[in-house]
Amino acid sequence: MPLIAGHFRLFDNPRADHAAGYDAEGRDEILSLKSFADAQREITAWPGYRPTPLLRLAGVQRAADVGAIFYKNEAERFGLGSFKALGGAYAVLRLLQQEILRATGKVPSSAEIASGRHAALVSPITVTCATDGNHGRSVAWGARSFGCRCIIYVHQTVSDARCRAIADYGAEIRRVSGTYDDAVRQAAGDAATAGWHVVSDTSYEGYKDVPRDVMQGYSLMVDEVLAQLPASAGLTHVFVQGGVGGVAAAVCAYLWERCGTARPRLVVVEPETADCLYRSAVAGRPTPAEGTLETIMAGLACGEVSLLAWQILDQGADAFMAIDDLAAAETMRLLAEGRYDDRPVVAGESAVAGLAGLLLAARDKDARRCLALDRDSIVLVFGTEGATDPEAYRRIVGRSAQQVGAAPAPSLGRENA
């Protein structure tokens, strides 16, 4: 009996190379532990910072017949509801610091900018980006926190609830016909004409510096995990969301540089209707998804890979999975119900992709063999968002996030490090 319904495609990456050094082929110029130290210092100094919980899904791990499943719950990150709070806002900060440096010759701290001391320089600046929801919310929050203007582009299927959540941080919302990738191009074109600054989480030819900062902010999640894990828990596998590849690359880069040849296997999971990373892996080069990109996993509805992310994932990811929407919905309900005697967890549609991929693979003999999953496997998944679209969450789960989350789930603290 499968843990969840749904189907998947799995591609074992023939270019994955655990013997390769991370610093080969310029990867350390994209993301590095040295640059991470700067991001860590800034972000952990922000008001309201605290590590998000690391949960152990003991019941689900028994049902999946693996040694352990650890779930990094990003639902309460800075009150924004997703891990994206680490990336977009940090990139806004870095951009403003560079603008102030050019004008004054000094790099101010985030607290100094937030105090309004450089308002004359900051307030005329406009930042912009395209979003499926969570990244735009982070950029808007960063813009409000540091005192600049913000315009966010959304494509036609982004829900009104997600737009309202962004607008609540003072951003102007502009809706674009077409897909996320169409919104990316519209934002870039308008920014070039108006002299705005694009703060995108995807990179493309001629635009790489800001996405590098976004991804570097995401690395803080992984650093927290390694501090929170029990000392006896040696990770063997990580299942992580796809999208344009930014978070997957951040996770991969951190573990690759820190753990070297002993790094865990990395499996990238994305919707079957927005499978640009899967197709890129099969082709051996950046390749767009085909089709409508329609999926309930709204934050992963991306048709084109981030070029910087691909430079890391091409050799760093061990496998790629494409899953259907049914699997995601089933996994949301599994967590909300506290199935297998685990405590209930509120997880949004994009939050569950990694866990859904693991659960689908765990009951498939060929997939287990391909991924070397067994009863001793210690698996990490990232719950990248809470119920960031409350209406969609209620429709899928059958209850509100407040009803599900009445009993908080226990977490592993730093005392377990």
Side-chain angles (χ1 to χ4, degrees):
M1 182 73 177
L3 283 80
I4 57 171
H7 61 261
F8 69 96
R9 288 179 278 124
L10 175 65
F11 181 72
D12 187 21
N13 184 13
R15 294 176 302 283
D17 186 357
H18 277 247
Y22 177 70
D23 58 357
E25 302 184 26
R27 282 182 286 261
D28 58 340
E29 296 178 7
I30 302 172
L31 297 173
S32 69
L33 294 180
K34 181 179 179 180
S35 294
F36 165 70
D38 295 333
Q40 181 186 44
R41 182 179 62 254
E42 288 285 9
I43 296 171
T44 56
W46 293 353
Y49 169 77
R50 59 186 175 87
T52 53
L54 182 68
L55 315 179
R56 183 163 185 169
L57 305 180
V60 178
Q61 85 186 36
R62 289 191 294 270
D65 198 22
V66 295
I69 300 175
F70 293 100
Y71 181 96
K72 182 63 165 165
N73 189 0
E74 290 291 303
E76 295 302 323
R77 180 69 75 178
F78 284 115
L80 268 70
S82 89
F83 81 102
K84 293 280 190 177
L86 297 171
Y90 176 64
V92 170
L93 169 65
R94 290 275 294 165
L95 187 153
L96 296 178
Q97 286 176 325
Q98 292 303 308
E99 291 297 306
I100 294 169
L101 172 63
R102 276 190 279 271
T104 68
K106 296 181 180 180
V107 178
S109 68
S110 57
E112 188 177 334
I113 299 175
S115 73
R117 192 177 306 176
H118 298 280
L121 293 172
V122 169
S123 59
I125 294 173
T126 297
V127 295
T128 188
C129 71
T131 188
D132 285 311
N134 292 334
H135 176 67
R137 193 172 179 179
S138 178
V139 170
W141 175 59
R144 189 183 74 172
S145 299
F146 301 123
C148 64
R149 185 179 177 224
C150 183
I151 299 174
I152 301 296
Y153 288 75
V154 299
H155 55 91
Q156 61 189 23
T157 62
V158 174
S159 70
D160 289 340
R162 294 188 195 279
C163 291
R164 288 194 298 271
I166 297 168
D168 283 346
Y169 289 100
E172 177 187 338
I173 307 296
R174 296 189 181 183
R175 193 175 287 275
V176 175
S177 297
T179 67
Y180 167 78
D181 303 291
D182 294 320
V184 168
R185 286 185 278 271
Q186 186 70 51
D190 289 357
T193 300
W196 305 333
H197 297 267
V198 178
V199 182
S200 178
D201 57 353
T202 190
S203 61
Y204 40 86
E205 287 297 337
Y207 180 75
K208 296 183 178 180
D209 290 345
V210 173
R212 184 183 291 116
D213 291 332
V214 172
M215 291 190 291
Q216 200 68 80
Y218 296 160
S219 304
L220 185 56
M221 285 193 305
V222 198
D223 186 75
E224 290 177 0
V225 166
L226 296 189
Q228 292 168 313
L229 280 169
S232 59
L235 289 177
T236 62
H237 295 76
V238 178
F239 284 70
V240 63
Q241 282 78 334
V244 298
V247 64
V251 171
C252 180
Y254 184 99
L255 292 172
W256 193 345
E257 186 173 5
R258 179 158 172 177
C259 304
T261 59
R263 74 182 188 274
R265 290 174 180 263
L266 186 87
V267 184
V268 181
V269 186
E270 60 193 335
E272 63 178 3
T273 55
D275 57 349
C276 56
L277 290 164
Y278 183 100
R279 289 179 183 273
S280 297
V282 172
R285 61 184 184 279
T287 302
E290 298 177 0
T292 63
L293 307 185
E294 291 182 6
T295 171
I296 65 168
M297 293 171 270
L300 308 180
C302 309
E304 299 176 20
V305 303
S306 168
L307 297 183
L308 287 178
W310 183 248
Q311 285 181 244
I312 294 170
L313 296 174
D314 182 36
Q315 282 187 297
D318 293 275
F320 295 80
M321 291 184 73
I323 66 172
D324 66 354
D325 278 359
L326 177 58
E330 286 269 309
T331 304
M332 290 174 66
R333 290 190 283 266
L334 178 150
L335 289 172
E337 294 165 8
R339 207 176 298 170
Y340 305 110
D341 297 323
D342 286 321
R343 299 290 291 274
V345 176
V346 175
E349 311 92 280
S350 298
V352 298
L355 179 57
L358 167 62
L359 298 183
L360 289 171
R363 286 306 186 208
D364 184 277
K365 181 175 64 176
D366 292 336
R368 285 184 75 99
R369 182 170 56 251
C370 174
L371 300 176
L373 277 173
D374 58 32
R375 292 180 177 179
D376 295 323
S377 297
I378 309 298
V379 186
L380 170 66
V381 298
F382 291 90
T384 50
E385 65 172 357
T388 53
D389 186 336
E391 297 162 9
Y393 185 85
R394 179 188 286 273
R395 185 173 63 251
I396 295 167
V397 172
R399 287 178 289 164
S400 70
Q402 289 73 23
Q403 291 170 314
V404 170
S411 65
L412 303 175
R414 289 187 178 270
E415 67 274 10
N416 293 311

